[in-house]
């Protein structure tokens, strides 16, 4: 399993992070099997959130037993200090652990949300208090949508977040405005040695109305191995990206792991050829701009 260092945390993480959104609506048996598969293939980075249904509960039985052997991250979507602190404690209880390696302010995709988190009495204060108590080691921020790079750049100017987590895939990076904002964020993150981690690597498009949905992801994912290989090659081609979160369906996880294990067998030109030729590839966040 390919590993990269998580910024200034100096932790050697598997480049694929186990995206525990996939465990939100599965049985305990299914969750145990998926986590076991991850561990067998060298995945040592588990990323969850308080808002991912039963994910934290499903993780508890295994994660609590191997806590010292993995990097464990969760998120709070609350915006006030009081509510965020309560959610942090609840996450620890649900996962049966005493601490997490990373607590992330979740889904901060606009400057208004950032203001709420970083203002007086905001969730950042809860994260800092939890860090002082030793139940949170590092603090990060996540966001969705096309404004995430711009918002996270401003976030890094306000506070030295250890990590950022935001969308990146071939289509989104082809959009000039997103590319410019993402590159600017990467530059600042590199200066601060903050880790850039990404999501939505294999997202294809929003589900069409009335379309059958064979996966639990809220968007249509790619599921053909060659295309997944190309998607993974694309995001890992950014040396400043320390890792990416797997898609929110346990049935896609083995294909994503396979793609990582084959990383290097495909060159940039081949990945470009595959991804540029896909019909119906667009932004899951509603961008109207087309690939040039």
């Amino acid at each position: 399993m390919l590993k990269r260092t998580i910024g200034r945390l100096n932790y050697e993480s598997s480049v694929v992070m186990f995206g525990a959104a996939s465990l939100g609506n599965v049985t305990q048996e299914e969750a145990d099997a998926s986590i076991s598969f991850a561990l067998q293939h060298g995945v040592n980075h588990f990323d969850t959130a308080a808002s991912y249904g039963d994910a934290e509960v499903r993780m508890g039985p295994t994660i609590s037993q191997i806590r010292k052997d993995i990097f464990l991250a969760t998120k709070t979507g609350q915006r006030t200090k009081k509510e965020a602190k309560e959610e942090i404690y609840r996450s620890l209880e649900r996962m049966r652990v005493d601490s997490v390696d990373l607590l992330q302010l979740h889904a901060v995709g606009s400057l208004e949300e950032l203001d709420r988190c970083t203002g007086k009495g905001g969730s950042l204060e809860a994260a800092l208090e939890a860090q002082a108590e030793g139940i949170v080691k590092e603090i990060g921020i996540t966001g969705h949508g096309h404004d995430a790079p711009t918002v996270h750049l401003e976030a890094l100017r306000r506070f030295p977040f250890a990590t950022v987590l935001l969308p990146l895939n071939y289509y989104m990076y082809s959009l000039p405005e997103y590319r410019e904002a993402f590159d600017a964020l990467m530059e600042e993150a590199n200066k601060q040695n903050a880790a850039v981690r990404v999501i939505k690597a294999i997202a294809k498009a929003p589900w069409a109305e009335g379309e059958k949905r064979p996966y639990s992801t809220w968007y249509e994912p790619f599921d053909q191995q060659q295309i997944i290989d190309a998607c993974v090659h694309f995001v890992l081609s950014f040396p400043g990206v320390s890792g990416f979160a797997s898609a929110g369906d346990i049935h896609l996880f083995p294909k994503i792991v396979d793609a990582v294990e084959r990383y290097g067998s495909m060159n940039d030109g081949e990945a470009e050829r595959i991804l540029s030729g896909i019909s119906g590839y667009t932004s899951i966040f509603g961008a109207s701009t087309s690939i040039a």
Side-chain angles (χ1 to χ4, degrees):
M1 172 56 63
L2 178 65
K3 290 183 169 64
R4 289 182 180 175
T5 304
I6 309 175
R8 60 179 178 269
L9 278 60
N10 291 322
Y11 185 91
E12 290 298 305
S13 165
S14 53
V15 293
V16 58
M17 304 182 295
F18 185 95
S22 62
L23 305 182
N25 294 289
V26 301
T27 67
Q28 189 63 57
E29 184 179 17
E30 289 173 320
D32 291 346
S34 189
I35 294 172
S36 177
F37 178 88
L39 295 171
Q40 290 169 13
H41 286 265
V43 176
N44 66 353
H45 189 141
F46 290 77
D47 187 84
T48 189
S51 60
Y52 291 167
D54 290 332
E56 291 179 327
V57 174
R58 294 286 174 256
M59 293 172 70
T62 301
I63 296 302
S64 60
Q65 299 301 311
I66 58 168
R67 177 66 190 90
K68 294 180 180 179
D69 301 323
I70 62 166
F71 186 92
L72 181 60
T74 192
K75 314 179 187 79
T76 177
Q78 300 298 329
R79 298 302 184 233
T80 69
K81 176 182 178 181
K82 179 179 182 297
E83 292 175 326
K85 193 65 178 298
E86 290 173 352
E87 192 161 69
I88 293 167
Y89 280 123
R90 187 163 56 250
S91 290
L92 296 179
E93 182 179 352
R94 282 157 59 94
M95 290 189 287
R96 309 181 192 179
V97 298
D98 296 325
S99 67
V100 293
D101 296 296
L102 179 67
L103 185 281
Q104 299 158 101
L105 307 185
H106 192 33
V108 185
S110 70
L111 291 175
E112 291 75 18
E113 290 289 301
L114 181 62
D115 288 341
R116 292 177 64 194
C117 291
T118 60
K120 183 175 176 57
S123 55
L124 179 57
E125 291 185 3
L128 286 166
E129 194 172 272
Q131 187 178 46
E133 293 173 2
I135 61 175
V136 165
K137 294 181 182 178
E138 301 289 347
I139 301 170
I141 191 167
T142 82
H144 305 88
H146 292 267
D147 293 332
T150 301
V151 174
H152 289 179
L153 178 59
E154 174 61 22
L156 288 177
R157 289 168 175 160
R158 295 185 187 186
F159 179 81
F161 289 99
T163 67
V164 297
L165 178 68
L166 72 163
L168 178 68
N169 58 43
Y170 177 81
Y171 182 88
M172 293 188 74
Y173 196 69
S174 76
L175 305 175
E177 289 185 2
Y178 196 85
R179 178 193 294 254
E180 182 179 356
F182 189 87
D183 288 348
L185 172 64
M186 289 282 286
E187 182 178 358
E188 181 60 30
N190 183 59
K191 289 178 182 178
Q192 296 191 24
N193 201 14
V196 177
R197 300 141 74 242
V198 300
I199 55 175
K200 306 301 181 280
I202 68 165
K204 178 184 179 182
W207 288 114
E209 187 174 351
E211 183 178 5
K212 182 181 178 182
R213 302 185 178 188
Y215 301 106
S216 58
T217 47
W218 61 268
Y219 53 86
E220 180 185 358
F222 290 116
D223 59 4
Q224 296 178 31
Q225 188 65 60
Q226 186 186 50
I227 297 177
I228 292 176
D229 289 355
C231 289
V232 167
H233 179 94
F234 177 77
V235 296
L236 291 183
S237 70
F238 289 75
V241 169
S242 65
F244 72 100
S246 58
D249 190 294
I250 58 173
H251 302 98
L252 293 167
F253 187 63
K255 292 184 177 182
I256 293 168
V257 170
D258 284 350
V260 173
E261 292 179 340
R262 277 195 297 275
Y263 179 66
S265 62
M266 177 181 291
N267 60 43
D268 292 347
E270 186 178 359
E272 167 81 20
R273 178 186 60 77
I274 293 169
L275 296 173
S276 64
I278 297 171
S279 175
Y281 191 8
T282 186
S283 170
I284 60 173
F285 302 108
S288 59
T289 310
S290 299
I291 294 179

